[in-house]
Every structure is written in structure tokens, then in C-alpha cells.
Amino acid sequence: MDIEDRLDLGEASEERAVYVITVAAELAGVPPQTLRIYERKGLVRPERTSGNTRRYSKRDIDLLRQIQEMTQELGINLAGVKRIIEMQAELAALRARMQELEDQLRAADAEERREGQIMPLRSVFLPPWVGGSHP
């Protein structure tokens, strides 16, 4: 398993919703009712089991902590927090798109440089006595 596979597994484990609401609330340092409020306001979207039980992921817990920091330490209201979270998601998507376009540009630039290379004639046209074939 190489480093990219491990990173994918790490990312997958951050996305895996395993924490019930009481554990998530404790890890985030808020009462469970606060998590329900955040969900109603659209700040967090926990996964649901077939029995409709909320399940939170590591990424959800990190988001909950960030929400707490913005509301408690920075004094931002929930509407402002929601807008900040939306803008952060948009920024991440734009950065990913920019990286994708930069990769495409680098690939196109490399291809253009390869196509513009001057090839020595001897590698293109070999005289009949080179290569072992005689008429």
C-alpha cells in the first residue's frame, strides 16, 4: 500500500459516520440539542441509519468545533457561520478546479514542447547500409 492509498483511507475514515449524537456532542464540546439546532439551520448534515439515528463523522466533529469557535470566540451568529461554511466549500471547489486546470496546462505545455523538438535526420532517415539490410 503506497502513500496515496493511505491518504485515501485516511480521507475515507474522516468521512465515515460512526459517532452517535451524544458522543459527537461530547467530542465537539456542545450539548446534543445544539447539534439538532445546527442540523435544522443547515450547518451540519449527519448521516442517518436505517432506523433514522444520526451518525456523525470525524469531519462533522471538526466542523462542529469550527462552528463553536466562530460563535463562541468570534461572536458570529449562525447565519454568518452558515455563509462562511458555504464560502469555504466554494473556495475549496475553486482551488481543486484551479489545480485541475494547472495540471492540464502543464500537460499541454509539455506536449507542445515535445512536438516542437528538432529531430536529427539520421534518426529519421537511415542510409541503406545502416541497419543490416542490403538490396
Side-chain angles (χ1 to χ4, degrees):
M1 180 181 296
D2 64 6
I3 188 73
E4 287 182 18
D5 291 336
R6 282 190 222 144
L7 288 174
D8 289 344
L9 284 175
E11 194 171 300
S13 68
E14 282 206 2
E15 295 292 328
R16 203 164 144 230
V18 295
Y19 303 105
V20 294
I21 192 166
T22 54
V23 174
E26 187 176 324
L27 290 171
V30 297
Q33 186 59 33
T34 301
L35 299 188
R36 292 183 190 99
I37 292 169
Y38 289 171
E39 184 179 2
R40 275 197 307 275
K41 298 279 186 181
L43 295 171
V44 66
R45 291 187 186 96
E47 289 187 25
R48 298 282 185 147
T49 64
S50 58
N52 208 28
T53 304
R54 293 172 180 89
R55 294 293 167 106
Y56 295 84
S57 68
K58 170 81 169 80
R59 184 160 289 167
D60 291 331
I61 304 298
D62 292 342
L63 178 59
L64 293 169
R65 288 177 179 152
Q66 182 182 9
I67 293 168
Q68 277 302 103
E69 180 182 335
M70 284 190 271
T71 58
Q72 300 301 312
E73 294 176 24
L74 302 176
I76 301 171
N77 66 22
L78 292 181
V81 169
K82 183 175 183 179
R83 185 67 185 127
I84 290 169
I85 291 169
E86 290 168 351
M87 291 172 72
Q88 287 174 333
E90 187 177 334
L91 180 60
L94 289 171
R95 283 182 173 153
R97 178 66 177 140
M98 185 176 72
Q99 184 62 51
E100 182 182 305
L101 291 171
E102 286 176 350
D103 292 345
Q104 289 176 3
L105 183 60
R106 272 193 283 284
D109 188 44
E111 180 65 28
E112 186 177 303
R113 275 189 262 125
R114 278 193 298 275
E115 288 176 359
Q117 287 181 341
I118 298 174
M119 301 296 290
L121 284 180
R122 63 184 169 88
S123 67
V124 178
F125 302 106
L126 295 176
W129 58 88
V130 176
S133 61
H134 295 288

